[in-house]
Amino acid sequence: MDINTIFDGWGTELISILIGLCLTGVGILFYKKGRVSQKQKAGKHAKQKQKVKNGDEKRVRQKQVAGDDSEQIQIG
């Protein structure tokens, strides 16, 4: 058995795996930059306010949960 035939193609496979990982990282970066997510949770008699400062061309997701007699404001 020849030692060169055992390792034949490993270099190409490692390079393709590294390129795939880099492209996946770039895709995840673009996905996270295009999304704004806010959550708030409070008890009774609470005042909550959520405001997105720069939500241009982004998916905005806001969620507020509060108890009785609470005041909630969401500005998107």
Side-chain angles (χ1 to χ4, degrees):
M1 184 176 281
D2 187 17
I3 193 79
N4 290 332
T5 58
I6 294 173
F7 296 108
D8 196 25
W10 278 39
T12 321
E13 187 67 27
L14 289 175
I15 290 173
S16 64
I17 289 172
L18 289 174
I19 290 172
L21 288 174
C22 289
L23 292 176
T24 303
V26 169
I28 289 172
L29 180 68
F30 280 123
Y31 175 73
K32 290 210 175 234
K33 277 191 166 188
R35 199 170 109 193
V36 176
S37 181
Q38 295 180 331
K39 294 180 183 179
Q40 286 183 333
K41 189 174 181 180
K44 296 179 181 179
H45 308 291
K47 291 185 180 181
Q48 294 179 322
K49 182 177 180 179
Q50 287 182 338
K51 183 176 181 179
V52 178
K53 291 183 181 179
N54 189 5
D56 299 335
E57 300 180 18
K58 293 184 179 182
R59 277 190 0 220
V60 177
R61 182 179 181 190
Q62 294 177 318
K63 182 179 179 181
Q64 290 180 325
V65 178
D68 297 333
D69 297 322
S70 296
E71 180 181 329
Q72 297 177 323
I73 301 171
Q74 288 182 339
I75 302 169

